[in-house]
């Protein structure tokens, strides 16, 4: 294939490749004189040209698995996906100079022996490598306190690597090549000396190329600052960029979060900090803005005039299962609502940004968060799962977990009603629900529309017009899908209506495996794309909404409502919804069958 | 499952009385889930009965329920029905339409328990046939629903026993008088309703109507006549036909069939628009760029071009089927779903339309393939082209409605779409046949690490959502005629308005002997059609290549 270099759909090769066609396959990153300049320049530049990705052959192969509502079997003249410039045009357009210095990226996973690193970070890095999305020169370092050789790290990492289901060619060969680039350095998290040793090793591998360095902090939050201090002082890149990915928890309230931000900013610029919320890397969350802003049929409906309520639902069908130690200190509100669900809400509800650039989007998101009122205790229901025996199997309650303190009041379930006091959303309840040990595992966004005013078919609906309203469902996981519930005539001689779905099931439309959120986010961090990372003012605004409530829950020692393991959660959630004339869409009859 | 719910209607005969429903409501304690709250006490029952009547006999429905609810045991209700009978006389019983559509539709209605308990079917034609011969002829074309084969043979036999034949001339009052006697024999003193289906060439419509109305009208019940196109060949001849029919019949006895209006997805059009909040706000020039009404057949006249040649596809398809769909699509919200309210709105659309101009029409060979651009000069649709395309001997067989939306103003993703934003617009497609479906084309991100968009469909495929066989349009329309439901039949003022739009251009085509553009059998039709669409900046949706 001619454009083999463009195998990675979002690769630096496509975004920043050289103008000369023969050099197109090289993956040189553009060298930047210093990190801060880079940080400011890259995102807007690469981002504005993101349509370049369209050249990738790899995704051009993402032709639908089946085309159920098949049109005329006509010729492929205007493939809707292939809009935009070719990489060649782009290379010429930005006029890069082939004489510039070659660059390299070193990715250091701090806390390399931890669970997240093993399950998510290394596999995501390998997937990026496999898809040709990493720069040509890259090095991966594991850093942790345990003593380990490079070989031991490689053995550990290799156990979790997999190739895409749909592309098994050269898989083991690729794995070997990847593992050969993985190294390990053992050191204390707060030792500048140990990080200076790391710096030496990194330099060896960088071999004089322009060094860019990415640190992934896969460690407990209490040592964030130590690591950042040591790394920034003794292993920052001297003439490339240095970026740090941190993951939640970002504090446990406004105050501690602000302290963390201040601590980080002693050593890092805001634009070096990449705060991950991996829900923002999920395919259907990314797709939210496309649905809204590239389809005429949705945007006119996107307001209080047509939308009755919005539901953001997260549920897991398992409990803490022996790993409740960390969770107990945070609870479901901090773990899921204040970050994942609130981020989705902000993306859903924001005004149209000036552009799809990171700062424009984050400006709009923060406006939404700042238009919201802090949560009130009466708008929240909390729950905690208790032991439940079903079919001879006993499922443990939350407090049966040995890592959880006896008598813990930490909520494992919460439901909340939030409001955005702006012109678009005034009075529309945004209901959130998050819980562990429920009957199902799923994450979805449900948009319930108002009833049809003066409905001609009202006699066909009985008295409750609200039952027969349209609903748009965006199922983030599992089985990604978008569907719109419409009222439709049941075929036949009578005039009976039902609710049917206009469906888009990803599995039947797109045959390719959907990349894990971590792949997207790691790649974005390498490319300096900040759109899907949380800016500090967003984080502050998010904590401000939840902090008073969290404090009140803890000070008043409010007991969570108990619900059986594997159930649909506490009844209180229904009363909360009923207060605002809302029915939970995920519990309606047609959804649970 | 209660027997009645095979037939998804309450009244198997003309709209039942309030009292009847009240009795039903009292006698049967099985209600759909949402009804009891609605029906607290007799007051509500009376109200419901009233509603039922105004709603043309449709059952109350529980929208959230995916299953059929046994509202009431209808078989008991049938016992109590007033003693009336319906005699259905198919005039032109040996013709093709009768054999292929009318008798099978009557049988399907019988099979589904939708016909009144007492009914008789008569075939009438000039050919000499015995009852037995008629039954043999009919028997060959009857089928049971694929999904319900139980008792099929029994049912067929029962049905055929109620079929009789009478031979007679179409212009003979005497022959119809003989028919009247035979009908009376079968009706034996019951209140007699009579339906005549004129499955005959239009030049003898008036003869038959004259004879039948004078000598075979029902003295005790209603008499209705179903006529099918062609209703004339221009404004003048259509006007004459209407005047002649009205010498013998009143307007509400005439049921002008347009069988496209009986198609499931055409019926569903109003449901989509008026019972879904998400569509109605988009239903105007503000959001809709153009509407396309497409009809194609993948076969030609195949040796039966005699009739067709004198009419052409404009008269055969556009002036009636496509125009009727257009009117339903574009009408304002009616006051209610009653027949007169709907037909009032449809006729308003037709009367708001610009008369078709010659330069807005492209004609293919033998007028077998034609495209036209029409405009509705009202506040909702000003400037929106409604494009019609109808053709025979094309590469595919289909009937569909395509609604192309405007582009997104200030599209943030415009770089992903290249220069032609109109390529990436939403489109709602209602596929009437084959493989009934509704789908909405949306722009979507192709999953993966990049930011590439494609056009994907939000799909509703009837075959996968609704396993039951969809009734033929003729079943619905016959049942409606028996029940006196006129919603899906064409009123004379609608017919006049429809002809007024097309007559001048038809006359001009004939007068100027405009030569049709030739196109190869099995192709996509003449190129001129693309120029016509391009003139109004439209791309034919069915010819846009699909990556999906």
């Amino acid at each position: 294939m001619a454009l083999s270099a463009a195998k990675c759909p979002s690769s630096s090769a496509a975004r920043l490749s050289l103008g000369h066609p023969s050099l197109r396959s090289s993956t040189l990153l553009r060298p930047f004189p210093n990190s801060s300049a880079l940080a400011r320049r890259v995102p807007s530049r690469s981002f504005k040209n993101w349509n370049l990705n369209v050249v990738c052959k790899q995704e051009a192969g993402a032709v639908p698995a089946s085309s159920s509502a098949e049109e005329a079997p006509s010729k492929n003249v205007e493939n809707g996906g292939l809009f935009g410039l070719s990489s060649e045009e782009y290379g010429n357009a930005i006029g890069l100079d082939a004489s510039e210095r070659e660059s390299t990226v070193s990715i250091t996973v701090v806390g390399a022996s931890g669970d997240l690193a093993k399950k998510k970070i290394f596999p995501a890095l390998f997937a990026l490598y496999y898809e040709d999305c990493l720069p040509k020169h890259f090095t991966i370092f594991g850093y942790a306190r345990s003593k380990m050789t490079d070989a031991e790290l490689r053995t550990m990492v290799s156990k979790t690597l997999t190739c895409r289901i749909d592309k098994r060619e050269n898989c083991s060969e690729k794995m070997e090549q990847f593992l050969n680039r993985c190294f390990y350095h053992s050191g204390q998290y707060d030792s500048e000396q140990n990080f200076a040793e790391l710096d030496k090793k990194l330099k060896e591998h960088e071999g004089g190329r322009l060094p860019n360095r990415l640190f992934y902090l896969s460690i407990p939050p209490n040592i964030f600052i130590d690591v950042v201090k040591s790394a920034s002082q003794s292993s920052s890149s001297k003439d490339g960029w240095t970026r740090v990915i941190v993951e939640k928890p970002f504090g446990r309230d406004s105050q501690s979060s602000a302290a963390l931000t201040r601590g980080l900013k002693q050593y890092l610029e805001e634009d070096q900090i990449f705060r991950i919320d991996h829900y923002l890397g999920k395919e259907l969350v990314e797709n939210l803005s496309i649905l809204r802003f590239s389809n005429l049929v949705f945007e006119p409906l996107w307001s209080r005039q047509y939308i009755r309520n919005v539901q953001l639902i997260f549920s897991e069908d398992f409990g803490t299962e022996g790993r409740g130690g960390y969770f107990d200190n945070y609870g479901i509100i901090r773990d899921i609502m204040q970050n994942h669900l609130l981020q989705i809400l902000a993306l859903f509800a924001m005004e149209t940004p000036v552009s799809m650039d990171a700062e424009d989007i984050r400006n709009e998101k923060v406006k939404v968060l700042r238009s919201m009122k802090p949560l009130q205790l009466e708008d929240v229901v909390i729950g905690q799962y208790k032991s439940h025996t079903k079919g001879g199997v006993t499922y443990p309650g939350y407090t049966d977990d040995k890592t959880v303190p006896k008598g813990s009041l930490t909520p494992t379930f919460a439901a909340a009603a939030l409001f955005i006091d702006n012109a678009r959303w005034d009075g529309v309840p945004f209901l959130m629900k998050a819980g562990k040990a429920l009957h199902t595992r799923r994450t979805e966004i449900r948009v319930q529309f108002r009833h049809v005013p003066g409905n001609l078919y009202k006699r066909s609906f009985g008295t409750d017009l609200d039952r027969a309203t349209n609903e748009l469902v965006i199922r983030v996981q599992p089985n990604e899908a978008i569907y719109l519930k419409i009222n439709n005539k049941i075929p036949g001689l009578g005039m009976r209506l039902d609710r049917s779905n206009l469906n888009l099931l990803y599995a039947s439309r797109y045959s390719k495996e959907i990349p894990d959120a971590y792949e997207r986010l790691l790649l974005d961090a390498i490319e300096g794309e900040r759109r899907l990372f949380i800016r500090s003012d967003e984080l502050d605004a998010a904590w401000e909404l939840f902090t008073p409530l969290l404090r009140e829950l803890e000070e008043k020692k409010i007991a969570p409502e108990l619900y059986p393991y594997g159930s649909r959660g506490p009844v209180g959630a229904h009363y909360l919804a009923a207060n605002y004339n809302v029915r939970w869409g995920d519990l309606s009859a047609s959804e649970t069958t | 499952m209660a027997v009645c719910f095979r037939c998804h209607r309450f009244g198997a005969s003309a709209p039942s009385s309030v009292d009847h429903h009240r009795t039903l409501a009292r006698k049967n304690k099985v209600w759909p889930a949402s009804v009891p709250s609605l029906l607290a006490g007799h007051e509500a029952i009376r109200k419901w009965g009233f509603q039922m009547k105004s709603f043309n006999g449709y059952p109350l429905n529980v929208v959230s329920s995916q299953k059929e609810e046994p509202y009431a045991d209808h078989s008991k209700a049938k016992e109590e029905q007033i003693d009336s009978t319906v005699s259905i006389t198919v005039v032109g019983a040996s013709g093709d339409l009768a054999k292929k559509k009318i008798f099978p539709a009557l049988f399907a209605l019988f099979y589904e328990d939708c016909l009144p308990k007492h009914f008789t079917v008569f075939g009438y034609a000039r050919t000499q046939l015995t009852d037995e011969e008629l039954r043999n002829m009919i028997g060959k074309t009857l089928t049971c629903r694929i999904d319900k084969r139980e008792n099929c043979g029994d049912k067929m036999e029962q049905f055929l026993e109620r079929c009789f034949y009478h031979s007679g001339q179409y212009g003979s009052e005497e022959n119809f008088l003989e028919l009247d006697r035979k009908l009376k024999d079968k009706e034996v003193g019951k209140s007699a309703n009579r339906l005549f289906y004129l499955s005959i060439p239009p030049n003898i419509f008036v003869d038959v109507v004259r004879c039948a109305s004078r000598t075979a009208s029902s003295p005790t019940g209603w008499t209705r006549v179903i006529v099918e196109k062609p209703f004339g060949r221009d404004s003048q001849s259509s006007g004459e036909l209407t005047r002649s029919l009205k010498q013998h019949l009143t307007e509400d006895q005439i049921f002008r069939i347009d069988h496209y209006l009986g198609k499931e997805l055409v019926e569903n059009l109003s449901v989509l628009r008026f019972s879904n909040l998400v569509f109605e706000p988009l239903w105007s020039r503000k959001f809709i760029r153009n509407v396309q009404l497409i009809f194609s057949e993948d076969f030609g006249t195949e040796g039966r071009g005699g009739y067709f040649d004198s009419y052409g596809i404009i008269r055969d398809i556009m002036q009636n089927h496509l125009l009727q769909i257009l009117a339903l699509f574009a009408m304002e919200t009616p006051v209610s779903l009653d027949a007169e309210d709907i037909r009032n709105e449809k006729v308003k659309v037709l009367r708001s339309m610009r008369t078709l101009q010659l330069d807005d029409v492209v004609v293919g060979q033998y007028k077998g393939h034609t495209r036209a651009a029409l405009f509705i000069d009202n506040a909702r649709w000003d400037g929106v082209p409604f494009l019609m395309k109808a053709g025979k001997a094309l590469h595919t067989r289909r009937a569909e409605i395509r609604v192309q939306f405007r582009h997104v103003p200030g599209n943030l993703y415009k770089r992903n779409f290249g220069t032609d934003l109109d390529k990436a617009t939403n489109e709602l497609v209602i596929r009437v046949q084959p493989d009934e479906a509704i789908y909405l084309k949306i722009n979507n991100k192709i999953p993966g690490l990049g930011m590439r968009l494609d056009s994907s469909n939000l799909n509703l495929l009837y075959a996968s959502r609704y396993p039951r066989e969809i009734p033929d349009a003729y079943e619905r329309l016959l049942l409606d005629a028996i029940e006196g439901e006129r919603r899906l039949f064409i009123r004379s003022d609608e017919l006049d308005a429809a002809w007024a739009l097309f007559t001048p251009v038809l006359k001009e085509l004939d007068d100027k002997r405009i030569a049709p553009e030739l196109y190869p059998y099995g192709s996509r039709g003449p190129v001129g059609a693309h120029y016509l669409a391009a003139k109004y900046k439209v791309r034919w949706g069915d010819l846009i290549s699909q990556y999906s």
Side-chain angles (χ1 to χ4, degrees), chain B residues 326-396:
Chain B
L326 185 152
L328 262 184
F329 179 94
M331 71 180 179
E332 299 297 311
T333 312
V335 173
S336 81
L337 294 167
D338 288 355
E340 297 318 314
D341 289 330
I342 290 177
R343 300 197 290 187
N344 286 344
E345 294 305 328
K346 278 169 62 195
V347 84
K348 273 167 57 186
V349 171
L350 298 175
R351 292 181 49 213
S352 304
M353 290 177 73
R354 230 178 279 166
T355 306
L356 194 59
Q357 301 297 311
L358 189 61
D359 51 0
D360 281 338
V361 180
V362 173
V363 186
Q365 176 153 33
Y366 308 125
K367 301 168 199 169
H369 184 284
T370 305
R371 306 185 180 200
L374 295 101
F375 292 88
I376 306 171
D377 294 331
N378 67 14
R380 189 187 282 262
W381 296 114
D382 189 5
V384 178
F386 284 76
L387 279 93
M388 286 184 181
K389 177 163 75 167
K392 287 180 182 285
L394 293 173
H395 71 296
T396 177

Side-chain angles (χ1 to χ4, degrees), chain A residues 533-553:
Chain A
F533 296 89
I534 318 287
R535 209 165 60 184
S536 62
D537 56 345
E538 287 186 89
L539 184 61
D540 293 346
W543 274 121
E544 262 170 48
L545 292 177
F546 282 89
T547 297
L549 166 82
L550 288 164
R551 185 171 304 142
E552 197 172 347
L553 283 174

Side-chain angles (χ1 to χ4, degrees), chain A residues 311-327:
Chain A
Q311 304 179 10
L312 303 153
I313 296 168
F314 169 96
S315 69
E316 278 178 350
D317 54 2
F318 49 89
T320 53
E321 321 290 344
R323 298 175 49 216
Y326 155 79
F327 182 83

Side-chain angles (χ1 to χ4, degrees), chain B residues 198 202-211 241 244-245 247-248:
Chain B
L198 305 199
N203 58 330
I204 50 174
F205 277 0
V206 179
D207 283 343
V208 170
V209 165
R210 179 175 44 85
C211 302
L241 177 64
S244 308
L245 291 176
Q247 282 181 7
H248 310 287

Side-chain angles (χ1 to χ4, degrees), chain A residues 511-526:
Chain A
S511 56
K512 273 177 58 93
E513 208 176 326
I514 298 177
D516 188 79
Y518 282 93
E519 294 175 38
R520 189 190 317 279
L521 294 166
L522 274 164
L523 184 58
D524 280 350
I526 292 168

Side-chain angles (χ1 to χ4, degrees), chain A residues 492-496, chain B residues 1-13 20-21 24 28 30 32 48 57 59-60 68-79 81 108-115 148 155 468 479 483:
Chain A
L493 296 170
M495 178 56 77
R496 298 173 59 237
Chain B
M1 182 70 45
V3 182
C4 66
F5 262 88
R6 288 207 181 158
C7 175
H8 292 259
R9 305 203 185 196
F10 249 98
S13 66
H20 171 59
H21 278 292
L24 244 182
N28 299 289
V30 194
W48 184 51
L60 284 176
E68 290 165 17
E69 303 262 354
Y71 301 2
D73 187 347
H74 206 59
S75 50
K76 279 182 203 158
K78 287 201 145 189
E79 306 292 336
Q81 265 172 8
L109 291 175
F110 171 73
Y111 191 93
E112 305 256 348
D113 271 354
C114 290
L115 291 183
K148 305 197 200 150
K155 282 279 190 174
R468 284 169 54 99
L479 186 57
E483 295 188 351

Side-chain angles (χ1 to χ4, degrees), chain A residues 59 71 75 80 83 283 287 294-296 460 470 487-489 492-493 495-496 500 503 509-510, chain B residues 9 61 264 268 275-277 402 416 426 439 443-445 452-453 456 459 465-466 476 545 547:
Chain A
E59 282 190 9
E71 303 272 353
K75 312 304 160 273
F83 310 111
E283 187 60 40
N287 199 38
S294 79
N295 290 294
L296 188 75
S460 310
N470 295 126
N487 293 305
N488 205 56
K489 179 181 170 303
L493 296 170
M495 178 56 77
R496 298 173 59 237
S500 288
N503 265 324
R509 170 75 175 105
Y510 302 108
Chain B
R9 305 203 185 196
N61 300 307
E264 187 59 41
N268 199 35
S275 78
N276 289 294
L277 187 74
R402 289 181 168 263
N416 297 63
N426 295 127
Y439 55 97
N443 294 306
N444 205 56
K445 180 179 169 306
R452 296 175 58 239
L453 309 190
S456 287
N459 268 324
R465 171 74 177 100
Y466 303 109
R476 188 190 318 278
S545 70
Y547 30 91

